[in-house]
Amino acid sequence: MSKDRRPVFSYLPLYNLASAIGWGYILYLVLLQYPKLGQPRFYQDTKDIVTYIQCGAIIEILNSLFGIVRSPLLTTAAQVLSRLVVVLGIFQYLPEARNAHGIVYITLLLSWSITEIIRYMFYFFTLIGSRGAPTFLVYLRYNLFLVLYPTGVASELLIIYSALPVAEAKYSLLWKRFLIGVMLTYLPGLPMLFLHMLAQRRKIMKQLANKTQKQA
C-alpha cells in the first residue's frame, strides 16, 4: 500500500469496530430486553435503532465504489440494498407488516446481529494486525453462515411478504409490485451468494487444516 493512500484506509478499522459494537448492542437488546418487553412493544422500541445501524452499511457501497476495499460493487450493493428495503421500506414506511410484530423480527435480528458482529470483528482484526483475525473468528465467519444466512434471508422474505397487503392499501399497487420485484431478486441472488460463501469456506478450511498440520 502506498503512503499516499494510507490516510484513506486508516478509518476502516474504526468503522468495522464501531459497526461491530452497534450490532452487539442490537444483540444485547434481543437477549435482555425482548424477554421483558415482548412483541409488539420490542419491535416498536427498536426498529428505529436497527434502521440507523443498518443504514451505516451504505458506507460499504461507497468504499467499494471508490476502490477503498476490494469487495465487488454489485455484490456489496445488492446485499446492503436488500436490507435497506426491510429497514426503510418496511420498518419506517410499512411498520404495520404483520411478521415484523412477531417472532420473525427476532430471528431476523439474531441472524443479522450475530453475522455482523463476527464479520466486522473479522475485518477489524485483519486490518490492524499482520497475523490476521484470530482462528476462532475465522471458524465462526466461515461456518455459522450455514445457519445464519438462510434464517436471515427467510426472515427478510417473510417480513416483506407480510407487508404486501399493507403496501397496496396504504400506498398503491405499484408499491406492492415493487416489493414483489425485490422478493424475486432473491431467486438468483440467494444461490449465487451462498455458493460463493461455500467456495470460500472450502478454501479457508483447507488453509486452516494445512496450518494446523504444519504446527503439529
Side-chain angles (χ1 to χ4, degrees), residues 160-182:
I160 296 173
Y161 178 76
S162 70
L164 295 180
V166 182
E168 183 176 6
K170 192 174 181 179
Y171 294 106
S172 67
L173 180 60
L174 182 62
W175 184 240
K176 178 182 178 180
R177 288 175 176 172
F178 167 74
L179 293 179
I180 292 174
V182 170

Side-chain angles (χ1 to χ4, degrees), residues 85-158:
V85 169
V86 176
V87 298
L88 293 175
I90 309 300
F91 295 169
Q92 299 304 312
Y93 289 95
L94 300 169
E96 304 89 348
R98 179 172 51 84
N99 284 336
H101 293 258
I103 193 63
V104 177
Y105 181 67
I106 305 305
T107 60
L108 179 80
L109 295 193
L110 284 173
S111 299
W112 281 7
S113 61
I114 295 172
T115 297
E116 298 299 54
I117 292 168
I118 294 169
R119 184 170 73 94
Y120 285 120
M121 290 307 297
F122 173 86
Y123 290 144
F124 172 74
F125 282 110
T126 300
L127 288 166
I128 66 169
S130 59
R131 301 183 66 178
T135 301
F136 81 92
L137 264 182
V138 179
Y139 271 104
L140 291 176
R141 171 157 171 73
Y142 290 99
N143 285 282
L144 279 186
F145 82 90
L146 294 168
V147 175
L148 297 176
Y149 190 65
T151 56
V153 169
S155 300
E156 292 172 32
L157 288 171
L158 286 170

Side-chain angles (χ1 to χ4, degrees), residues 15-212:
Y15 165 74
N16 283 287
L17 181 60
S19 298
I21 292 172
W23 285 106
Y25 180 61
I26 296 298
L27 183 59
Y28 157 80
L29 292 176
V30 174
L31 296 178
L32 297 182
Q33 295 301 309
Y34 167 62
K36 299 177 184 178
L37 299 176
Q39 288 284 53
R41 175 70 184 278
F42 181 72
Y43 167 66
Q44 294 166 352
D45 286 0
T46 60
K47 63 183 179 67
D48 290 344
I49 300 172
V50 176
T51 299
Y52 296 143
I53 292 175
Q54 180 55 53
C55 283
I58 294 173
I59 293 173
E60 296 180 31
I61 299 178
L62 299 177
N63 287 341
S64 180
L65 177 63
F66 294 112
I68 297 174
V69 298
R70 291 182 295 176
S71 302
L73 176 60
L74 184 60
T75 302
T76 301
Q79 290 176 312
V80 173
L81 292 175
S82 65
R83 288 193 180 188
L84 291 182
V85 169
V86 176
V87 298
L88 293 175
I90 309 300
F91 295 169
Q92 299 304 312
Y93 289 95
L94 300 169
E96 304 89 348
R98 179 172 51 84
N99 284 336
H101 293 258
I103 193 63
V104 177
Y105 181 67
I106 305 305
T107 60
L108 179 80
L109 295 193
L110 284 173
S111 299
W112 281 7
S113 61
I114 295 172
T115 297
E116 298 299 54
I117 292 168
I118 294 169
R119 184 170 73 94
Y120 285 120
M121 290 307 297
F122 173 86
Y123 290 144
F124 172 74
F125 282 110
T126 300
L127 288 166
I128 66 169
S130 59
R131 301 183 66 178
T135 301
F136 81 92
L137 264 182
V138 179
Y139 271 104
L140 291 176
R141 171 157 171 73
Y142 290 99
N143 285 282
L144 279 186
F145 82 90
L146 294 168
V147 175
L148 297 176
Y149 190 65
T151 56
V153 169
S155 300
E156 292 172 32
L157 288 171
L158 286 170
I159 288 175
I160 296 173
Y161 178 76
S162 70
L164 295 180
V166 182
E168 183 176 6
K170 192 174 181 179
Y171 294 106
S172 67
L173 180 60
L174 182 62
W175 184 240
K176 178 182 178 180
R177 288 175 176 172
F178 167 74
L179 293 179
I180 292 174
V182 170
M183 294 177 70
L184 290 175
T185 64
Y186 280 73
L187 292 176
L190 173 60
M192 180 182 67
L193 292 174
F194 196 74
L195 289 174
H196 172 72
M197 286 300 295
L198 286 176
Q200 288 293 102
R201 179 182 181 273
R202 286 193 295 269
K203 177 182 175 182
I204 298 299
M205 290 300 103
K206 184 177 180 180
Q207 291 176 355
L208 289 177
N210 292 336
K211 181 180 178 181
T212 302

